[in-house]
Amino acid sequence: MTRGCVVSAETTLIAALVALAFDAVVGYPDAIYRRIGHPVTWIGALIDALDRSLNRETWSPIVRRLSGVVALGLSVAIPVSIATAISWQLSNSIAGAIALGLLAATLIAGRSLYTHVRDVAEALERQGLVAGRAAVSRIVGRDSEVLDEPGVARAAIESLAENASDGVVAPLFWFLLLGLPGLVAYKAINTADSMIGHLTARHRSFGWAAARLDDLVNLPASRLSGLFFALAALMLPHGSPHGALTSMLRDAAGHRSPNAGWPEAAMAGALGLKLNGPRRYGGVMTSDAYMGNGRRDANAADIRRALRLALLAWAVMAAALLATWFSVRG
């Protein structure tokens, strides 16, 4: 097909495999980040500008909520328009698929996530609790200075489970469904939620739409992520696919997030752990429900097992993509 045509399903599938492979092997090069930043930082700059211009403290809650809807719409529409224009310049060919895959890879965070969680395990193993707390503080929002070693390990595993869905499965899901514009739309919504979707005085009203839409767009991938963890547990030594499915179906609905509980509960069951539960944010203890019914005394070795489970889950996903590609070709 010629340029200016809709990207075919076969091209999209090849591009998804290229994106997964490139992210796994290379990731987003630091040299490029230092020179031009990252697509998410560009979207973040747009959201920050809209927050400063459209979120006025003197406005009523309803006006701030409506202005938040407008800000979210612009935060999605502008990058999606650019992504659509780029997509229409790509041909349905191997070269086009590779180019599309390289673009998509910039918005997948598997390698980065793996590295940050691995750093927590290495800090605990080599330098002890204080270093582990410092490493985990880079990936979680809870009060890390009060965590003991099992608490640090659980926090790292919980972050891995949740962000495996948000950073890998969900981007690929929307890419496969709606192409590069769908992937960019997802990342814009997810970035908006992380920046303004908070229950603070400034963002409770303004970020309402971002938080609600982020819950919606993460719904399918969170369930798929739990399923991938359960399938991956079949290949993990001493992993429990039955435990993953049981914990997910029993515990996920009790999580404060409508989505995070699914991958967290599945990972807890697969590894024989009990994750989530009460934790401290800003000096305030929460009463979060537990995910899984295993042991609470997690350690660096459990982080390593969780990382292997995540790699196997992504391999399952890649195998599914490859099988679909062969099916489409046939």
Side-chain angles (χ1 to χ4, degrees):
M1 295 180 71
T2 60
R3 293 179 183 271
C5 294
V6 176
V7 177
S8 70
E10 184 176 357
T11 298
T12 302
L13 284 165
I14 296 172
L17 289 165
V18 170
L20 266 178
F22 189 84
D23 175 66
V25 175
V26 179
Y28 194 83
D30 289 338
I32 295 178
Y33 181 82
R34 289 193 297 269
R35 181 175 292 273
I36 64 172
H38 186 277
V40 170
T41 66
W42 307 337
I43 294 171
L46 172 61
I47 295 167
D48 182 62
L50 292 167
D51 184 19
R52 286 185 280 108
S53 61
L54 296 179
N55 188 9
R56 306 294 175 86
E57 294 181 2
T58 56
W59 291 349
S60 68
I62 186 63
V63 171
R64 293 176 81 174
R65 180 174 288 196
L66 290 172
S67 64
V69 172
V70 172
L72 178 63
L74 291 171
S75 300
V76 174
I78 292 172
V80 164
S81 297
I82 296 171
T84 301
I86 292 172
S87 293
W88 276 77
Q89 297 304 310
L90 297 173
S91 61
N92 285 310
S93 64
I94 294 297
I98 292 173
L100 188 60
L102 293 177
L103 290 171
T106 66
L107 296 174
I108 297 172
R111 183 179 179 86
S112 174
L113 173 61
Y114 182 92
T115 299
H116 281 92
V117 175
R118 182 198 61 197
D119 288 347
V120 180
E122 290 184 350
L124 286 174
E125 291 166 344
R126 297 177 182 180
Q127 298 172 282
L129 178 57
V130 174
R133 286 171 175 168
V136 84
S137 70
R138 302 184 188 107
I139 58 174
V140 300
R142 71 195 67 175
D143 297 346
S144 59
E145 69 276 5
V146 300
L147 296 175
D148 57 9
E149 182 173 341
V152 169
R154 289 194 305 271
I157 294 167
E158 290 160 13
S159 180
L160 173 63
E162 180 177 0
N163 288 293
S165 176
D166 293 357
V168 181
V169 181
L172 277 172
F173 175 86
W174 290 107
F175 178 67
L176 291 167
L177 192 66
L178 298 173
L180 187 63
L183 169 56
V184 170
Y186 170 77
K187 293 301 292 187
I189 294 166
N190 193 241
T191 304
D193 176 62
S194 68
M195 293 181 66
I196 63 175
H198 309 298
L199 295 177
T200 59
R202 176 168 179 79
H203 291 125
R204 182 177 290 108
S205 296
F206 186 76
W208 171 84
R212 298 289 78 75
L213 188 55
D214 185 69
D215 285 343
L216 182 63
V217 297
N218 275 302
L219 189 148
S222 63
R223 278 69 175 168
L224 282 172
S225 296
L227 179 60
F228 288 143
F229 285 148
L231 292 172
L234 289 166
M235 297 172 280
L236 182 74
H238 308 295
S240 174
H242 179 265
L245 290 172
T246 300
S247 296
M248 183 169 61
L249 295 175
R250 182 190 63 222
D251 301 330
H255 201 285
R256 68 161 64 190
S257 165
N259 295 311
W262 293 82
E264 283 187 27
M267 181 165 280
L271 300 177
L273 297 173
K274 180 183 285 188
L275 301 176
N276 206 45
R279 73 279 305 278
R280 199 174 83 168
Y281 292 91
V284 179
M285 286 296 298
T286 70
S287 57
D288 294 299
Y290 290 108
M291 303 287 114
N293 60 359
R295 54 189 172 83
R296 291 283 284 170
D297 58 335
N299 53 39
D302 291 305
I303 300 176
R304 299 280 188 186
R305 290 187 70 229
L307 287 166
R308 286 194 289 272
L309 184 71
L311 289 177
L312 288 169
W314 296 335
V316 169
M317 183 170 58
L321 289 174
L322 193 59
T324 305
W325 177 60
F326 279 118
S327 176
V328 169
R329 287 192 68 194

